[in-house]
Amino acid sequence: MALKPTTPKGTRDFSPVEMAKRNYIFNTIRDVYHLYGFQQIETPAMEMLSTLMGKYGDEGDKLLFKIQNSGDYFWGLTDDELLSRNSAKLVSKFCEKGLRYDLTVPFARYVVMHRNEITFPFKRYQIQPVWRADRPQKGRYREFYQCDADVVGSDSLLNEVELVQIIDTVFGRFDVRVCIKINNRKILSGIVEIIGETNKIIDIILAIDKLDKIGLENVNKELVDKGINSESIAKLQPIIKLSGTNTEKLSILKKELATSEVGLKGVGECEFILSMLGNFDLKNEVELDLTPFQFVFADDGYKGNIFIIGVTHLFVGFAYN
Amino acid sequence: MALKPTTPKGTRDFSPVEMAKRNYIFNTIRDVYHLYGFQQIETPAMEMLSTLMGKYGDEGDKLLFKIQNSGDYFWGLTDDELLSRNSAKLVSKFCEKGLRYDLTVPFARYVVMHRNEITFPFKRYQIQPVWRADRPQKGRYREFYQCDADVVGSDSLLNEVELVQIIDTVFGRFDVRVCIKINNRKILSGIVEIIGETNKIIDIILAIDKLDKIGLENVNKELVDKGINSESIAKLQPIIKLSGTNTEKLSILKKELATSEVGLKGVGECEFILSMLGNFDLKNEVELDLTPFQFVFADDGYKGNIFIIGVTHLFVGFAYN
């Protein structure tokens, strides 16, 4: 034992008091998942890098913890390759396994591998740690738990309704009031379509996401700086400024997205979900909110509705293709 | 996703049915641990290699899954070092973290790091996976769970009595009959002392451990082959052939170890534990059994009594220094 032992950067121990609190939280979430018919699975901490790589973008690939091959990991490497010291390129020669970065990609792998044993629709939940070689910031860790519930093999919007009910039930049991924000990828696709600036979508998203911090005027200034034409910026205004009740927002969107088939489909989906949720006595507010955008465009896997809860950006469930 | 996705060698998924069974088993163990006043902690999956290396012998060091440093892991490596292709030596340059190999060393690290927050004696349990880059055999995995209960900060033999009660209660709840075998390191030290063959102890252990398979005659032949002198072999006979009730075994050991202070102390400890256990209505048999030896000598950390259960070689608790 070294004189001053420590845990790796961004990881931590859980004391008995912390474990008691965490168990209470996880058991509550687990109970609610069971109540709604979700079944638990577990997947290994390690996955093949071929399963993980390319699923989280270039940045995600860098943030994977990679596990050195056992034995002679220099096998097959030429002198030139070694002396190139190309860390990023050679890592795939040294390592074939990595720690999972999230629970979604392992679940997708699980579904492919076990499709003959699964009865669809398959409602699964998974409560396990994930690892990210992120630069640790205050309150953020390189090892942390995710509590995912997903449905595969069903496109029914009732699944999304149920996921909102689950969120509402969990936080209700914690006696914590949250705002459940729902967004829809089809609406965002519609917006891209009508303003005709598909290739600058990232710039647009990053600018609009600063609305809370820098205000509308500066957002528009940034859009101009990024070379977005004035016509597109004008078309974006009703969407950037989108406010009011959910009904009012939907009505604005219907008008603005009138020429986009996919956009109108997204509005219809949100309308259905919100109307279904109106039948239940939810404890928490549900709000249609097109921001933050970036989560939605980060990964093409997100086809359906997106839920963001409170200010924690906690992701709960979506239909994964 | 690759066309035929797979999990890394020696790892597996847990289906909903398997999870339900495993949760039942873990919850039973957890309940019993709580009943006896043990508190749960969790430690990170990754530990610094400086914490792990050298704790499990050379073989153990090889079986550690090592995590490639992020970024430029070639930093500080000379051309000569790289071209040496010395995997074993260079791994410590490429990697500073590893996956935990067991829960004992992380717990020892936890105790050192948190000693100011802990009230001793500290009774902790930990149910978490461990990873070993072992050659996977039938029914053995590279990722598997351990359920450890340990007491630190108390030398009382009553802790050992309690651990046997815990084992008895757990398997009682499972309605599985087991034989709880107890062994004692001091007895084994005494044996080494009286036969005066300390430097050949590994050879002796490996030979005696074959008793069940090859019989007494062949064990003695192997001892001769290994260069153990006939006087030592003669002294070993009563111990190799040790049989009868626990009381009979203790009485033989007392006689054979009469000249070894440490040996007699070990016999006394076992006598105390067995006598205390006599006060309880245990569901399972408790048997003094000096084999298998190898577990006991594998690690100098094991100071006290050792429990081996059934044929599974399941380790439950010991006083760790």
Side-chain angles (χ1 to χ4, degrees):
Chain A
M1 187 77 34
L3 268 178
K4 282 197 176 181
T6 177
T7 59
K9 189 168 64 166
T11 69
R12 59 190 157 157
D13 293 317
F14 285 85
S15 71
V17 171
E18 288 161 338
M19 281 307 294
K21 291 176 185 170
R22 212 188 70 187
N23 284 338
Y24 170 74
I25 290 171
F26 286 179
N27 287 338
T28 303
I29 294 172
R30 195 192 323 267
D31 286 349
V32 175
Y33 284 166
H34 282 171
L35 192 64
Y36 284 89
F38 285 74
Q39 296 185 301
Q40 187 176 17
I41 67 160
E42 280 199 6
T43 62
M46 298 186 283
E47 292 279 352
M48 302 309 289
L49 282 179
S50 55
T51 301
L52 299 173
M53 299 284 282
K55 305 299 189 303
Y56 310 102
D58 286 351
E59 198 51 37
D61 285 354
K62 277 187 212 144
L63 299 185
L64 290 171
F65 279 110
K66 296 166 191 89
I67 293 162
Q68 186 105 4
N69 294 340
S70 302
D72 178 17
Y73 50 83
F74 285 106
W75 192 86
L77 281 168
T78 66
D79 289 3
D80 283 350
E81 279 178 314
L82 276 178
L83 295 177
S84 78
R85 290 180 163 75
N86 189 336
S87 308
K89 194 178 155 203
L90 291 178
V91 73
S92 64
K93 306 263 185 176
F94 286 121
C95 306
E96 64 173 15
K97 295 180 289 292
L99 294 179
R100 64 172 163 250
Y101 179 89
D102 71 4
L103 301 175
T104 308
V105 168
F107 177 49
R109 194 264 311 141
Y110 180 97
V111 170
V112 173
M113 270 182 74
H114 301 273
R115 59 185 175 281
N116 295 330
E117 311 148 31
I118 298 173
T119 308
F120 294 97
F122 183 38
K123 299 167 80 172
R124 90 83 175 79
Y125 78 90
Q126 215 170 326
I127 300 181
Q128 292 192 269
V130 302
W131 295 269
R132 296 180 183 182
D134 226 329
R135 197 178 295 270
Q137 296 165 22
K138 192 171 154 50
R140 294 183 67 170
Y141 294 91
R142 294 179 138 196
E143 174 182 73
F144 57 95
Y145 273 80
Q146 291 193 337
C147 307
D148 275 21
D150 292 84
V151 184
V152 288
S154 163
D155 284 338
S156 169
L157 289 174
L158 292 175
N159 294 319
E160 330 270 321
V161 172
E162 197 173 70
L163 286 167
V164 175
Q165 287 181 275
I166 287 175
I167 297 164
D168 186 69
T169 309
V170 165
F171 286 96
R173 291 198 182 180
F174 291 148
D175 212 8
V176 168
R177 281 296 172 101
V178 293
C179 178
I180 304 169
K181 302 194 172 208
I182 79 166
N183 196 349
N184 185 292
R185 195 179 161 98
K186 293 192 183 80
I187 294 181
L188 299 176
S189 298
I191 295 170
V192 181
E193 198 180 320
I194 58 148
I195 64 172
E197 292 277 9
T198 320
N199 57 334
K200 285 188 180 141
I201 187 67
I202 300 295
D203 286 338
I204 296 174
I205 286 167
L206 290 177
I208 296 180
D209 265 343
K210 293 182 189 158
L211 185 64
D212 282 352
K213 285 184 197 151
I214 64 176
L216 180 62
E217 202 173 327
N218 288 315
V219 167
N220 285 332
K221 197 172 162 300
E222 190 164 322
L223 289 170
V224 173
D225 291 348
K226 294 287 179 189
I228 313 295
N229 70 51
S230 54
E231 199 188 342
S232 297
I233 295 178
K235 277 188 187 160
L236 270 176
Q237 296 309 300
I239 289 152
I240 300 178
K241 290 187 287 188
L242 194 68
S243 67
T245 63
N246 289 331
T247 313
E248 285 162 358
K249 286 178 181 173
L250 287 168
S251 138
I252 293 167
L253 285 171
K254 249 186 233 174
K255 198 177 133 222
E256 299 300 327
L257 299 174
T259 60
S260 164
E261 193 183 337
V262 64
L264 287 181
K265 195 149 190 285
V267 174
E269 287 183 5
C270 286
E271 213 163 20
F272 176 83
I273 292 168
L274 289 166
S275 121
M276 285 300 292
L277 287 170
N279 298 325
F280 303 104
D281 186 24
L282 299 184
K283 289 194 170 59
N284 298 287
E285 190 190 344
V286 181
E287 187 192 332
L288 177 65
D289 185 349
L290 302 186
T291 60
F293 281 72
Q294 73 266 31
F295 285 102
V296 185
F297 278 99
D299 187 328
D300 268 337
Y302 302 114
K303 297 290 179 204
N305 292 278
I306 321 287
F307 309 108
I308 313 277
I309 302 148
V311 290
T312 58
H313 299 319
L314 176 62
F315 252 72
V316 182
F318 41 77
Y320 198 88
N321 199 341
Chain B
M1 186 79 33
L3 266 179
K4 281 198 177 180
T6 177
T7 59
K9 188 168 65 166
T11 69
R12 58 188 157 157
D13 292 318
F14 285 86
S15 70
V17 171
E18 288 161 338
M19 281 306 296
K21 290 177 184 170
R22 212 188 70 188
N23 284 338
Y24 170 75
I25 291 171
F26 286 178
N27 288 337
T28 303
I29 295 172
R30 195 193 322 269
D31 286 350
V32 176
Y33 285 165
H34 282 171
L35 192 65
Y36 283 88
F38 285 74
Q39 296 183 299
Q40 188 175 16
I41 67 161
E42 280 198 4
T43 61
M46 297 187 282
E47 293 277 352
M48 302 309 289
L49 282 179
S50 55
T51 301
L52 299 173
M53 298 284 281
K55 304 299 190 303
Y56 310 102
D58 286 350
E59 199 50 38
D61 284 354
K62 276 186 214 147
L63 300 185
L64 290 170
F65 280 110
K66 297 169 190 86
I67 293 162
Q68 186 105 4
N69 294 339
S70 302
D72 178 18
Y73 50 83
F74 285 106
W75 192 86
L77 281 167
T78 65
D79 289 2
D80 284 350
E81 279 179 313
L82 275 178
L83 295 177
S84 77
R85 291 179 161 74
N86 189 335
S87 309
K89 195 178 154 204
L90 291 179
V91 72
S92 64
K93 307 262 184 177
F94 286 121
C95 306
E96 64 172 16
K97 295 179 290 291
L99 293 179
R100 67 173 162 250
Y101 179 90
D102 71 5
L103 301 175
T104 308
V105 168
F107 177 49
R109 194 263 312 141
Y110 179 97
V111 170
V112 173
M113 269 182 75
H114 300 274
R115 60 187 175 280
N116 296 328
E117 310 148 32
I118 297 173
T119 308
F120 294 97
F122 182 38
K123 299 167 79 172
R124 90 84 175 76
Y125 78 89
Q126 214 170 325
I127 300 180
Q128 293 192 268
V130 302
W131 295 269
R132 296 180 183 180
D134 227 330
R135 197 178 296 269
Q137 295 164 23
K138 192 171 153 53
R140 293 183 67 169
Y141 293 92
R142 293 179 139 197
E143 174 181 74
F144 57 95
Y145 273 80
Q146 291 193 335
C147 307
D148 276 21
D150 292 84
V151 184
V152 288
S154 164
D155 284 339
S156 170
L157 288 174
L158 292 175
N159 294 320
E160 330 270 320
V161 172
E162 197 174 71
L163 286 167
V164 175
Q165 288 181 274
I166 287 174
I167 298 164
D168 186 70
T169 309
V170 165
F171 286 95
R173 291 197 181 180
F174 291 148
D175 212 9
V176 168
R177 281 296 173 99
V178 293
C179 178
I180 303 169
K181 303 196 171 207
I182 79 166
N183 195 348
N184 185 292
R185 192 176 165 102
K186 293 192 184 80
I187 294 181
L188 299 177
S189 299
I191 295 170
V192 181
E193 198 180 319
I194 60 149
I195 65 171
E197 292 277 10
T198 321
N199 56 334
K200 286 188 179 138
I201 187 66
I202 300 295
D203 286 337
I204 297 174
I205 287 167
L206 292 177
I208 296 181
D209 266 344
K210 294 181 188 158
L211 185 63
D212 282 352
K213 285 184 197 152
I214 65 177
L216 181 61
E217 204 174 325
N218 288 317
V219 168
N220 286 331
K221 196 171 164 301
E222 190 164 325
L223 289 170
V224 173
D225 292 348
K226 295 287 180 188
I228 314 295
N229 69 51
S230 55
E231 199 188 343
S232 296
I233 295 178
K235 278 188 186 160
L236 271 176
Q237 296 311 299
I239 290 153
I240 302 179
K241 291 185 286 187
L242 194 68
S243 66
T245 64
N246 289 331
T247 314
E248 286 163 357
K249 286 178 182 173
L250 285 168
S251 138
I252 294 165
L253 286 171
K254 249 185 232 174
K255 198 174 134 227
E256 299 301 327
L257 298 174
T259 59
S260 165
E261 194 183 337
V262 65
L264 287 180
K265 194 148 188 287
V267 175
E269 287 184 5
C270 285
E271 213 162 20
F272 175 83
I273 292 169
L274 290 166
S275 121
M276 286 298 294
L277 287 169
N279 298 324
F280 303 104
D281 187 24
L282 298 185
K283 288 195 169 60
N284 298 286
E285 190 190 346
V286 181
E287 186 192 332
L288 177 65
D289 185 350
L290 302 186
T291 59
F293 282 70
Q294 72 267 34
F295 285 101
V296 184
F297 279 98
D299 188 329
D300 269 336
Y302 301 114
K303 298 289 181 202
N305 293 278
I306 322 286
F307 309 109
I308 314 276
I309 303 149
V311 291
T312 58
H313 298 321
L314 175 62
F315 252 71
V316 183
F318 40 76
Y320 198 89
N321 199 340

